mmCIF file of all heavy atoms in Angstrom:
data_model
loop_
_atom_site.group_PDB
_atom_site.id
_atom_site.type_symbol
_atom_site.label_atom_id
_atom_site.label_comp_id
_atom_site.label_asym_id
_atom_site.label_seq_id
_atom_site.Cartn_x
_atom_site.Cartn_y
_atom_site.Cartn_z
ATOM 1 N N PRO A 1 112.060 106.403 106.213
ATOM 2 C CA PRO A 1 112.330 107.836 106.063
ATOM 3 C C PRO A 1 113.790 108.103 106.405
ATOM 4 O O PRO A 1 114.297 107.576 107.442
ATOM 5 C CB PRO A 1 111.396 108.555 107.043
ATOM 6 C CG PRO A 1 110.224 107.579 107.175
ATOM 7 C CD PRO A 1 110.892 106.145 107.124
ATOM 8 N N GLN A 2 114.463 108.915 105.591
ATOM 9 C CA GLN A 2 115.897 109.307 105.789
ATOM 10 C C GLN A 2 115.998 110.737 105.404
ATOM 11 O O GLN A 2 116.154 111.074 104.236
ATOM 12 C CB GLN A 2 116.710 108.415 104.922
ATOM 13 C CG GLN A 2 118.235 108.531 105.137
ATOM 14 C CD GLN A 2 119.088 107.605 104.320
ATOM 15 O OE1 GLN A 2 119.056 107.825 103.037
ATOM 16 N NE2 GLN A 2 119.789 106.734 104.814
ATOM 17 N N GLY A 3 115.993 111.692 106.443
ATOM 18 C CA GLY A 3 116.072 113.013 106.198
ATOM 19 C C GLY A 3 114.749 113.378 105.366
ATOM 20 O O GLY A 3 113.599 113.081 105.644
ATOM 21 N N ASP A 4 115.027 114.029 104.222
ATOM 22 C CA ASP A 4 113.945 114.449 103.322
ATOM 23 C C ASP A 4 113.591 113.334 102.322
ATOM 24 O O ASP A 4 112.719 113.593 101.481
ATOM 25 C CB ASP A 4 114.288 115.737 102.608
ATOM 26 C CG ASP A 4 114.361 116.914 103.597
ATOM 27 O OD1 ASP A 4 113.614 116.905 104.589
ATOM 28 O OD2 ASP A 4 115.084 117.868 103.239
ATOM 29 N N GLY A 5 114.387 112.283 102.429
ATOM 30 C CA GLY A 5 114.178 111.167 101.426
ATOM 31 C C GLY A 5 113.789 109.862 102.035
ATOM 32 O O GLY A 5 113.149 109.875 103.083
ATOM 33 N N VAL A 6 114.040 108.837 101.300
ATOM 34 C CA VAL A 6 113.775 107.410 101.781
ATOM 35 C C VAL A 6 114.970 106.528 101.453
ATOM 36 O O VAL A 6 115.556 106.528 100.428
ATOM 37 C CB VAL A 6 112.432 106.987 101.233
ATOM 38 C CG1 VAL A 6 112.592 107.090 99.636
ATOM 39 C CG2 VAL A 6 112.077 105.608 101.629
ATOM 40 N N ALA A 7 115.261 105.705 102.468
ATOM 41 C CA ALA A 7 116.235 104.622 102.283
ATOM 42 C C ALA A 7 115.493 103.403 101.778
ATOM 43 O O ALA A 7 114.403 103.018 102.402
ATOM 44 C CB ALA A 7 116.970 104.394 103.547
ATOM 45 N N LEU A 8 115.992 102.765 100.766
ATOM 46 C CA LEU A 8 115.279 101.652 100.174
ATOM 47 C C LEU A 8 116.111 100.306 100.319
ATOM 48 O O LEU A 8 117.382 100.440 100.262
ATOM 49 C CB LEU A 8 115.019 101.961 98.688
ATOM 50 C CG LEU A 8 114.163 103.155 98.330
ATOM 51 C CD1 LEU A 8 114.355 103.500 96.863
ATOM 52 C CD2 LEU A 8 112.772 102.865 98.723
ATOM 53 N N GLN A 9 115.358 99.247 100.420
ATOM 54 C CA GLN A 9 116.014 98.009 100.269
ATOM 55 C C GLN A 9 115.057 96.909 99.701
ATOM 56 O O GLN A 9 113.839 97.076 99.917
ATOM 57 C CB GLN A 9 116.591 97.464 101.657
ATOM 58 C CG GLN A 9 115.586 97.242 102.723
ATOM 59 C CD GLN A 9 116.250 96.826 103.987
ATOM 60 O OE1 GLN A 9 117.326 97.228 104.362
ATOM 61 N NE2 GLN A 9 115.644 95.877 104.700
ATOM 62 N N VAL A 10 115.690 95.926 99.072
ATOM 63 C CA VAL A 10 114.900 94.801 98.511
ATOM 64 C C VAL A 10 115.448 93.511 99.122
ATOM 65 O O VAL A 10 116.573 93.220 99.209
ATOM 66 C CB VAL A 10 115.096 94.743 96.973
ATOM 67 C CG1 VAL A 10 114.270 93.595 96.370
ATOM 68 C CG2 VAL A 10 114.672 96.054 96.294
ATOM 69 N N GLU A 11 114.357 92.794 99.685
ATOM 70 C CA GLU A 11 114.696 91.452 100.219
ATOM 71 C C GLU A 11 114.047 90.342 99.383
ATOM 72 O O GLU A 11 112.922 90.599 98.969
ATOM 73 C CB GLU A 11 114.256 91.413 101.690
ATOM 74 C CG GLU A 11 114.966 92.358 102.584
ATOM 75 C CD GLU A 11 114.236 92.506 103.900
ATOM 76 O OE1 GLU A 11 113.210 91.909 104.085
ATOM 77 O OE2 GLU A 11 114.696 93.201 104.792
ATOM 78 N N SER A 12 114.678 89.249 99.307
ATOM 79 C CA SER A 12 114.008 88.037 98.643
ATOM 80 C C SER A 12 114.721 86.777 99.238
ATOM 81 O O SER A 12 115.919 86.783 99.451
ATOM 82 C CB SER A 12 114.183 88.178 97.068
ATOM 83 O OG SER A 12 113.489 87.104 96.501
ATOM 84 N N ARG A 13 113.864 85.813 99.404
ATOM 85 C CA ARG A 13 114.380 84.495 99.997
ATOM 86 C C ARG A 13 115.208 84.720 101.246
ATOM 87 O O ARG A 13 116.107 84.045 101.609
ATOM 88 C CB ARG A 13 115.283 83.794 98.900
ATOM 89 C CG ARG A 13 114.531 83.476 97.588
ATOM 90 C CD ARG A 13 115.097 82.287 96.877
ATOM 91 N NE ARG A 13 116.587 82.338 96.653
ATOM 92 C CZ ARG A 13 117.216 81.493 95.846
ATOM 93 N NH1 ARG A 13 116.518 80.487 95.247
ATOM 94 N NH2 ARG A 13 118.439 81.663 95.684
ATOM 95 N N GLY A 14 114.774 85.648 102.034
ATOM 96 C CA GLY A 14 115.396 85.982 103.350
ATOM 97 C C GLY A 14 116.721 86.679 103.246
ATOM 98 O O GLY A 14 117.292 86.761 104.280
ATOM 99 N N GLU A 15 117.114 87.186 102.000
ATOM 100 C CA GLU A 15 118.386 87.894 101.912
ATOM 101 C C GLU A 15 118.189 89.226 101.462
ATOM 102 O O GLU A 15 117.212 89.613 100.706
ATOM 103 C CB GLU A 15 119.203 87.168 100.879
ATOM 104 C CG GLU A 15 119.665 85.653 101.316
ATOM 105 C CD GLU A 15 120.715 85.066 100.243
ATOM 106 O OE1 GLU A 15 120.377 85.313 99.051
ATOM 107 O OE2 GLU A 15 121.624 84.634 100.781
ATOM 108 N N LEU A 16 119.138 90.154 101.815
ATOM 109 C CA LEU A 16 119.176 91.527 101.273
ATOM 110 C C LEU A 16 119.678 91.549 99.941
ATOM 111 O O LEU A 16 120.878 91.076 99.662
ATOM 112 C CB LEU A 16 119.993 92.441 102.238
ATOM 113 C CG LEU A 16 120.119 93.859 101.797
ATOM 114 C CD1 LEU A 16 118.840 94.551 101.809
ATOM 115 C CD2 LEU A 16 121.194 94.579 102.702
ATOM 116 N N CYS A 17 118.896 91.929 98.992
ATOM 117 C CA CYS A 17 119.331 91.804 97.572
ATOM 118 C C CYS A 17 119.708 93.211 96.997
ATOM 119 O O CYS A 17 120.571 93.195 95.964
ATOM 120 C CB CYS A 17 118.203 91.245 96.701
ATOM 121 S SG CYS A 17 117.791 89.560 97.135
ATOM 122 N N ALA A 18 119.210 94.270 97.459
ATOM 123 C CA ALA A 18 119.513 95.539 96.909
ATOM 124 C C ALA A 18 119.350 96.679 97.999
ATOM 125 O O ALA A 18 118.470 96.573 98.743
ATOM 126 C CB ALA A 18 118.670 95.929 95.687
ATOM 127 N N THR A 19 120.116 97.599 97.936
ATOM 128 C CA THR A 19 120.053 98.829 98.734
ATOM 129 C C THR A 19 120.011 100.087 97.869
ATOM 130 O O THR A 19 120.479 100.057 96.782
ATOM 131 C CB THR A 19 121.084 98.945 99.797
ATOM 132 O OG1 THR A 19 122.429 99.078 99.041
ATOM 133 C CG2 THR A 19 121.214 97.711 100.578
ATOM 134 N N GLY A 20 119.421 101.190 98.485
ATOM 135 C CA GLY A 20 119.412 102.430 97.683
ATOM 136 C C GLY A 20 118.790 103.501 98.463
ATOM 137 O O GLY A 20 118.422 103.350 99.657
ATOM 138 N N GLN A 21 118.529 104.602 97.781
ATOM 139 C CA GLN A 21 117.829 105.715 98.378
ATOM 140 C C GLN A 21 117.207 106.564 97.287
ATOM 141 O O GLN A 21 117.672 106.534 96.103
ATOM 142 C CB GLN A 21 118.756 106.676 99.196
ATOM 143 C CG GLN A 21 120.073 106.958 98.590
ATOM 144 C CD GLN A 21 121.213 106.008 98.812
ATOM 145 O OE1 GLN A 21 121.214 105.285 99.763
ATOM 146 N NE2 GLN A 21 122.110 106.006 97.814
ATOM 147 N N ALA A 22 116.150 107.375 97.696
ATOM 148 C CA ALA A 22 115.477 108.200 96.736
ATOM 149 C C ALA A 22 115.156 109.495 97.436
ATOM 150 O O ALA A 22 115.018 109.545 98.682
ATOM 151 C CB ALA A 22 114.184 107.572 96.293
ATOM 152 N N SER A 23 115.082 110.563 96.679
ATOM 153 C CA SER A 23 114.720 111.863 97.276
ATOM 154 C C SER A 23 114.085 112.664 96.084
ATOM 155 O O SER A 23 114.093 112.398 94.975
ATOM 156 C CB SER A 23 116.017 112.609 97.772
ATOM 157 O OG SER A 23 116.940 112.802 96.798
ATOM 158 N N LEU A 24 113.595 113.835 96.565
ATOM 159 C CA LEU A 24 112.884 114.797 95.703
ATOM 160 C C LEU A 24 113.467 116.103 95.790
ATOM 161 O O LEU A 24 113.087 116.962 96.654
ATOM 162 C CB LEU A 24 111.421 114.923 95.897
ATOM 163 C CG LEU A 24 110.543 115.693 94.907
ATOM 164 C CD1 LEU A 24 110.453 114.955 93.589
ATOM 165 C CD2 LEU A 24 109.184 115.917 95.462
ATOM 166 N N PRO A 25 114.511 116.444 94.879
ATOM 167 C CA PRO A 25 115.076 117.786 94.939
ATOM 168 C C PRO A 25 114.081 118.860 94.595
ATOM 169 O O PRO A 25 112.989 118.556 93.958
ATOM 170 C CB PRO A 25 116.105 117.667 93.725
ATOM 171 C CG PRO A 25 116.415 116.304 93.573
ATOM 172 C CD PRO A 25 115.165 115.614 93.908
ATOM 173 N N ALA A 26 114.307 120.096 95.134
ATOM 174 C CA ALA A 26 113.350 121.197 94.942
ATOM 175 C C ALA A 26 113.124 121.485 93.437
ATOM 176 O O ALA A 26 112.065 121.981 93.054
ATOM 177 C CB ALA A 26 113.859 122.314 95.695
ATOM 178 N N ARG A 27 114.200 121.184 92.700
ATOM 179 C CA ARG A 27 114.084 121.464 91.195
ATOM 180 C C ARG A 27 115.067 120.476 90.458
ATOM 181 O O ARG A 27 116.049 120.128 91.120
ATOM 182 C CB ARG A 27 114.377 122.912 90.796
ATOM 183 C CG ARG A 27 115.750 123.399 91.208
ATOM 184 C CD ARG A 27 115.956 124.854 90.967
ATOM 185 N NE ARG A 27 114.974 125.659 91.789
ATOM 186 C CZ ARG A 27 115.265 125.978 93.080
ATOM 187 N NH1 ARG A 27 116.319 125.558 93.608
ATOM 188 N NH2 ARG A 27 114.322 126.648 93.710
ATOM 189 N N ALA A 28 114.716 120.228 89.167
ATOM 190 C CA ALA A 28 115.646 119.329 88.481
ATOM 191 C C ALA A 28 116.924 120.200 88.103
ATOM 192 O O ALA A 28 116.741 121.332 87.762
ATOM 193 C CB ALA A 28 114.956 118.966 87.138
ATOM 194 N N PRO A 29 118.077 119.672 88.313
ATOM 195 C CA PRO A 29 119.346 120.392 87.932
ATOM 196 C C PRO A 29 119.359 120.685 86.494
ATOM 197 O O PRO A 29 118.898 119.951 85.660
ATOM 198 C CB PRO A 29 120.412 119.433 88.557
ATOM 199 C CG PRO A 29 119.823 118.083 88.394
ATOM 200 C CD PRO A 29 118.363 118.281 88.845
ATOM 201 N N ALA A 30 120.065 121.862 86.197
ATOM 202 C CA ALA A 30 120.317 122.092 84.796
ATOM 203 C C ALA A 30 121.411 121.212 84.171
ATOM 204 O O ALA A 30 122.325 120.894 84.937
ATOM 205 C CB ALA A 30 120.682 123.634 84.630
ATOM 206 N N VAL A 31 121.098 120.755 82.921
ATOM 207 C CA VAL A 31 122.021 119.857 82.200
ATOM 208 C C VAL A 31 122.376 120.503 80.954
ATOM 209 O O VAL A 31 121.540 120.990 80.185
ATOM 210 C CB VAL A 31 121.552 118.468 82.119
ATOM 211 C CG1 VAL A 31 122.484 117.705 81.266
ATOM 212 C CG2 VAL A 31 121.363 117.808 83.416
#
């Protein structure tokens, strides 16, 4: 958990392979 979202990471073979984050905005922004 990271604030209202989530910090993500991927590990494989004992190594950190990817980092990231995800969240859910209250609404989709207009484009």
Side-chain angles (χ1 to χ4, degrees):
Q2 185 180 65
D4 293 332
V6 54
L8 298 166
Q9 63 181 36
V10 180
E11 299 170 351
S12 186
R13 303 205 306 186
E15 294 187 314
L16 179 64
C17 297
T19 61
Q21 49 273 332
S23 60
L24 185 69
R27 61 187 60 83
V31 174

